[in-house]
């Protein structure tokens, strides 16, 4: 067997083995929850919501329907849907005697005491009146697609465009920079580094990297690459690990007036962008009326079967009606899929999460694959998209958080190393671009991150380098809003961390109280709740703060869940405070890089200097805060 085939088999075989270890670890974790946790505990963790009433049903996007459920407030410490989000896979279990007994769907609108579930199946008719339950579900679908992608990558026909891309990605061939051409840019506001990235992406054969530190506009670069590629007649597949990242690209590409299709469940897409989803476009297609007619006739048959009239139907009549209803269902779905395939094939740009790339609709090859947030996707997940294209552009930031994995063995075996990280070390410099001008943060907020992670190369654009929270409409200037950075030291307060045994996560009661107090001060100073977020690395701390503060619009959450987001002002609680000087997973300093770069105008950090200064990174941060006059004591508040 030739060496290249041996190398391919070894590479993809190793990834497949690590992926299976990870799949089993996640499955075991979910099984432990179901076996060991009571319904009350699962509800406390946010995995289950019970005692829900059905408020009604609504028409959703395309062929989906929405089931609306709610629970009256009862003075809970935490609101029922505190740990669930739009786009989560769930199962709704109906009261005993209901047919069907349960139905799987996707959370759509999620409020404190009310949520709607988007479903493709048949809803109970009539709708049940008893109490329902929602359970958060896991899924093997993405693992299955990753396994299939690894097999497909290994078997790509030699000599083809996709095979050359694969061979360059695994190090069997050497990519070339190509000759960059002069371009007429659609976005005339691009800076010199962004323009260089676009030129390299279009000239590279077959791949290039765009390194995008926080706020430097990497998604803006990708949108320009997509527009330029479409202008050349290229068919483009744009993907990312998260729905938020895909929606960010979609929003920027839609303004170009291209033929765009967004794959995936409409409930996982921002409501303002749902018109671009495949489901919405199928529903608007001229041929969809035949699908509606078949679905309507099938529903009439179901109602006749459920009706108990004076003349009972014999077995053959009922069986015939059931078989006809099943035939109508199959024909309607076949016709619906045919419309979808036609729309996808005719699109200039197809957007999806990696895990949402289904072979049912994704027909044909692509000239270019664009991967955003490439530093957050495990390598097998990236291959789901990469096997479908001849060229690729990776954009991401290896200095921010890596993919979340369940299996320590899989992570240590190499699954935690993304393609972007690996390529950063092997690709020549003329195939990589570091974006250097950032458009989000005051230069003081940016400065520490730039020095520690990017060699001091970042520059704050004039439009943001000196902006402050007190300059926002309606905001007053005080000792918080009038400065960009505040470190509040809790040393000496006695606010030691605790361990939530249930969550296996840390919390700090004193820091939680202070975070709430500081957030309220920002609101009292005139900031809109939607402009403020309270962040923390620990789930238990996030949950504790949520129990103490409920302000519509003000977000409270984990650092990991806020990657790719930004707010005008953030309050960050580091939590760790112990005599041993242990900082736990704060030692992954990429988490701090994300945490301190979410704020545009004001970053407030709360922490115990005695504990965190035991780590050299945090010792350097404390020195930076002091050098910029940003050091405060918790006693002041």
């Amino acid at each position: 067997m030739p060496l290249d085939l041996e190398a391919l088999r070894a590479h993809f075989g190793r990834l497949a083995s690590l992926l299976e270890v990870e799949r089993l670890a996640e499955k075991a974790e979910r099984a432990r929850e179901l076996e060991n946790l009571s319904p009350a505990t699962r509800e406390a963790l946010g995995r289950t919501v019970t005692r829900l009433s059905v408020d009604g049903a609504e028409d959703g996007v395309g062929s989906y329907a929405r089931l609306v459920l709610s629970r009256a407030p009862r003075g809970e410490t935490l609101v029922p849907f505190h740990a669930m989000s739009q786009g989560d896979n769930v199962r709704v279990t109906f009261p005993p005697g209901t047919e069907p007994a349960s139905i799987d769907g996707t959370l759509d609108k999620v409020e404190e005491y009310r949520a709607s579930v988007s479903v493709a199946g048949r809803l109970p008719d009539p709708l049940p009146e008893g109490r329902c339950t929602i359970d958060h579900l896991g899924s093997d679908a993405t693992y299955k697609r990753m396994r299939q992608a690894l097999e497909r990558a290994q078997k790509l026909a030699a000599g083809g465009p996709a095979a050359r891309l694969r061979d360059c990605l695994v190090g069997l061939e050497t990519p070339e920079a190509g000759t960059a051409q002069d371009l007429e840019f659609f976005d005339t506001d691009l800076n010199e580094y962004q323009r260089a990235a676009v030129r390299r992406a279009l000239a590279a054969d077959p791949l290039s990297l765009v390194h995008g530190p926080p706020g430097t506009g990497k998604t803006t670069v990708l949108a320009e690459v997509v527009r330029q590629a479409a202008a050349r007649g290229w068919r483009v597949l744009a993907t990312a690990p998260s729905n938020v990242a895909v929606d960010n690209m979609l929003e920027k590409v839609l303004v170009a007036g291209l033929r765009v299709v967004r794959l995936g469940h409409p409930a996982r897409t921002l409501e303002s962008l749902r018109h671009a989803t495949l489901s919405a476009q199928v529903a608007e297609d001229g041929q969809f009326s035949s699908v509606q007619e078949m679905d309507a006739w099938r529903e009439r048959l179901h109602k006749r079967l459920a009706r108990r009239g004076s003349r009972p139907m014999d077995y053959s009549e009922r069986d015939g009606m059931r078989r006809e209803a099943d035939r109508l269902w199959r024909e309607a779905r076949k016709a619906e899929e045919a419309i979808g395939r036609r729309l996808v094939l005719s699109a200039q740009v197809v957007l999806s999460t990696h895990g949402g790339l289904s072979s049912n609709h994704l027909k044909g090859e692509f000239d270019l694959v664009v991967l955003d947030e490439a530093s957050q996707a495990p390598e097998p997940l990236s291959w789901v998209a990469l096997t479908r294209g001849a060229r690729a552009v990776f954009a991401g930031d290896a200095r921010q958080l890596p993919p979340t994995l369940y299996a320590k063995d899989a992570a240590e075996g190499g699954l935690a190393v993304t393609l972007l990280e690996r390529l950063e070390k092997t690709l020549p410099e003329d195939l990589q671009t570091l974006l250097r001008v950032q458009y989000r943060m005051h230069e003081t907020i940016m400065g520490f991150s730039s020095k520690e992670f990017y060699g001091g190369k970042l520059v704050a654009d004039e439009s943001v380098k000196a902006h402050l929270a007190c300059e926002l409409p309606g905001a007053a200037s005080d000792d918080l809003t009038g400065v960009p950075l505040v470190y509040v030291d809790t040393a000496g307060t006695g606010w030691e961390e605790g361990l939530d045994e249930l969550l296996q996560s840390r919390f700090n009661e004193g820091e939680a109280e202070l975070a709430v107090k500081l957030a309220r001060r920002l609101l009292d100073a005139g900031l809109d709740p939607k402009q403020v977020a309270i962040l923390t690395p620990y789930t238990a701390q996030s949950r504790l703060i949520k129990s103490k503060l409920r302000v519509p619009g003000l977000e409270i959450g984990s650092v990991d869940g806020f990657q790719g987001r930004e707010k005008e002002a953030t309050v960050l609680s580091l939590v760790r405070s112990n005599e041993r000087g242990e900082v736990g997973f704060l030692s992954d300093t990429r988490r701090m890089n994300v945490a301190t770069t979410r704020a545009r105008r004001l970053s407030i950090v709360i922490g115990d200097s005695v504990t965190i200064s035991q780590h050299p990174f945090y010792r350097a941060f404390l020195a930076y805060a002091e050098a910029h006059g940003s050091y405060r004591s918790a006693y002041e508040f």
Side-chain angles (χ1 to χ4, degrees):
M1 183 179 289
L3 178 62
D4 59 344
L5 295 182
E6 290 277 11
L8 289 174
R9 175 172 291 181
H11 181 79
F12 290 108
R14 180 181 62 85
L15 287 177
S17 297
L18 294 173
L19 185 63
E20 181 62 10
V21 172
E22 173 66 13
R23 184 187 73 83
L24 293 174
E26 181 175 358
K27 186 175 182 180
E29 177 63 27
R30 296 190 183 280
R32 277 194 296 271
E33 287 182 0
L34 288 172
E35 292 173 6
N36 301 328
L37 303 181
S38 67
T41 300
R42 282 180 56 80
E43 185 155 20
L45 291 172
R47 310 283 199 272
T48 295
V49 181
T50 60
R51 297 180 285 113
L52 291 164
S53 300
V54 177
D55 288 354
E58 304 172 346
D59 290 333
V61 178
S63 59
Y64 294 95
R66 283 197 194 107
L67 184 69
V68 184
L69 302 129
S70 70
R71 193 171 87 188
R74 297 188 177 184
E76 298 97 334
T77 303
L78 287 175
V79 296
F81 294 101
H82 69 93
M84 295 188 185
S85 305
Q86 177 184 327
D88 286 351
N89 293 325
V90 294
R91 172 168 295 159
V92 180
T93 302
F94 299 114
T98 303
E99 185 62 38
S102 65
I103 193 165
D104 293 349
T106 305
L107 277 180
D108 199 330
K109 296 179 180 177
V110 182
E111 300 169 8
E112 290 185 339
Y113 293 93
R114 181 182 172 94
S116 60
V117 180
S118 184
V119 298
R122 181 169 60 90
L123 293 175
D125 186 18
L127 293 173
E129 295 182 357
R131 297 301 188 213
C132 304
T133 297
I134 283 182
D135 287 292
H136 190 274
L137 294 180
S139 173
D140 268 354
T142 301
Y143 284 106
K144 181 179 179 181
R145 286 174 184 163
M146 286 191 280
R147 285 196 303 271
Q148 291 172 339
L150 294 176
E151 293 171 3
R152 193 164 56 243
Q154 185 177 328
K155 296 175 181 178
L156 286 171
R164 169 162 164 72
L165 174 60
R166 173 203 63 193
D167 291 347
C168 288
L169 288 169
V170 299
L172 297 178
E173 287 194 31
T174 304
E176 299 174 2
T179 303
Q181 301 176 5
D182 288 334
L183 297 175
E184 185 174 338
F185 290 95
F186 293 102
D187 186 345
T188 57
D189 292 329
L190 295 179
N191 63 54
E192 59 177 309
Y193 303 105
Q194 292 173 323
R195 291 178 180 234
V198 173
R199 291 192 186 97
R200 283 178 175 170
L202 296 170
D205 177 22
L207 70 131
S208 68
L209 304 188
V210 181
H211 301 286
T216 53
K218 63 178 174 55
T219 306
T220 299
V221 169
L222 293 184
E224 181 69 22
V225 170
V226 169
R227 295 179 70 175
Q228 294 285 347
R232 295 182 177 195
W234 293 0
R235 191 165 179 245
V236 182
L237 174 63
T239 69
S242 71
N243 285 290
V244 171
V246 175
D247 282 351
N248 287 341
M249 284 195 287
L250 175 60
E251 197 166 29
K252 291 180 180 295
V253 171
L254 277 175
V255 299
L258 302 173
R259 294 190 307 279
V260 175
V261 170
R262 162 63 153 109
L263 302 182
H265 200 297
R268 298 190 182 98
T269 301
L270 289 173
E271 195 159 1
S272 60
L273 301 174
R274 288 182 185 175
H275 63 281
T277 63
L278 181 59
S279 295
Q281 293 186 45
V282 166
E284 292 295 321
D285 190 85
Q287 296 182 16
F288 189 65
S289 58
S290 63
V291 176
Q292 292 175 304
E293 289 171 7
M294 286 186 279
D295 281 339
W297 179 240
R298 179 175 54 83
E299 282 301 313
R300 286 195 290 271
L301 289 176
H302 278 301
K303 288 180 179 179
R304 286 176 61 187
L305 284 166
R307 191 181 305 133
R308 303 189 183 279
S310 56
R311 185 187 71 83
M313 285 185 282
D314 60 28
Y315 173 80
S316 62
E317 189 177 1
R318 294 181 69 84
D319 185 58
M321 290 177 68
R322 287 195 188 96
R323 282 189 281 107
E324 176 64 7
D326 289 343
R327 185 192 69 81
L328 287 168
W329 172 264
R330 290 193 302 271
E331 290 297 318
R333 301 293 73 78
K334 184 178 178 181
E336 191 173 12
E337 286 186 6
I339 296 170
R341 283 194 296 271
R342 171 169 52 79
L343 290 171
V344 171
L345 278 169
S346 65
Q348 295 169 283
V349 186
V350 177
L351 298 101
S352 173
T353 59
H354 302 320
L357 290 170
S358 168
S359 297
N360 291 340
H361 289 121
L362 206 59
K363 302 300 180 183
E365 298 302 313
F366 292 86
D367 301 288
L368 177 67
V369 179
V370 171
L371 300 96
D372 199 4
E373 301 293 3
S375 55
Q376 294 180 45
E379 183 171 337
L381 189 58
S382 295
W383 283 107
V384 178
L386 290 167
T387 55
R388 302 182 182 277
R391 297 169 177 258
V393 180
F394 293 80
D397 182 10
R399 310 305 182 269
Q400 295 189 59
L401 284 169
T404 300
L405 299 175
Y406 287 84
K408 184 178 180 182
D409 290 347
E412 293 177 348
L415 198 61
V417 179
T418 64
L419 261 173
L420 185 138
E421 284 182 277
R422 184 157 60 76
L423 293 169
E424 181 182 19
K425 298 173 182 176
T426 59
L427 282 188
E429 288 186 5
D430 57 0
L431 286 170
Q432 305 189 51
T433 306
L434 173 66
L435 303 180
R436 299 189 183 189
V437 182
Q438 68 85 17
Y439 299 88
R440 174 187 299 165
M441 295 163 276
H442 188 288
E443 61 181 353
T444 301
I445 301 175
M446 174 201 75
F448 182 72
S449 173
S450 176
K451 176 176 176 291
E452 291 293 320
F453 294 97
Y454 309 103
K457 295 178 180 178
L458 301 190
V459 177
D461 186 72
E462 287 293 329
S463 62
V464 301
K465 68 181 298 183
H467 65 179
L468 296 168
C470 61
E471 296 169 355
L472 290 166
S477 179
D478 60 22
D479 60 329
L480 291 180
T481 62
V483 295
L485 177 65
V486 177
Y487 172 72
V488 184
D489 190 0
T490 66
T493 60
W495 296 346
E496 290 208 353
E497 67 191 62
L499 175 65
D500 187 312
E501 297 285 352
L502 189 62
L503 294 173
Q504 283 298 296
S505 178
R506 305 283 173 176
F507 67 91
N508 188 310
E509 181 78 34
E511 280 196 19
E513 293 282 0
L514 181 55
V516 169
K517 183 178 292 186
L518 292 171
R520 289 196 182 280
R521 278 200 49 183
L522 296 179
L523 300 181
D524 292 342
L527 271 68
D528 188 286
K530 293 180 180 179
Q531 297 172 326
V532 181
I534 303 178
L535 305 178
T536 176
Y538 291 93
T539 303
Q541 184 75 344
S542 171
R543 183 180 170 196
L544 177 61
I545 295 171
K546 285 179 180 178
S547 72
K548 296 176 178 293
L549 181 66
R550 293 181 196 167
V551 177
L554 189 151
E555 292 187 63
I556 301 168
S558 70
V559 173
D560 297 48
F562 220 77
Q563 184 156 302
R565 309 271 312 283
E566 63 181 55
K567 290 286 183 177
E568 298 293 347
T570 61
V571 179
L572 171 65
S573 169
L574 295 180
V575 175
R576 300 311 296 255
S577 178
N578 56 74
E579 294 179 352
R580 303 172 301 282
E582 294 177 354
V583 297
F585 77 170
L586 289 185
S587 59
D588 186 343
T589 56
R590 291 174 293 185
R591 185 165 280 103
M592 188 66 167
N593 189 29
V594 172
T596 58
T597 56
R598 301 306 94 199
R600 289 172 49 79
R601 300 167 184 265
L602 172 59
S603 174
I604 301 175
V605 181
I606 305 170
D608 178 358
S609 63
V610 174
T611 298
I612 65 174
S613 64
Q614 303 306 306
H615 191 288
F617 173 86
Y618 293 95
R619 194 156 57 245
F621 174 74
L622 296 175
Y624 181 85
E626 192 162 17
H628 285 78
S630 305
Y631 206 104
R632 305 279 295 274
S633 169
Y635 289 106
E636 297 179 47
F637 301 96

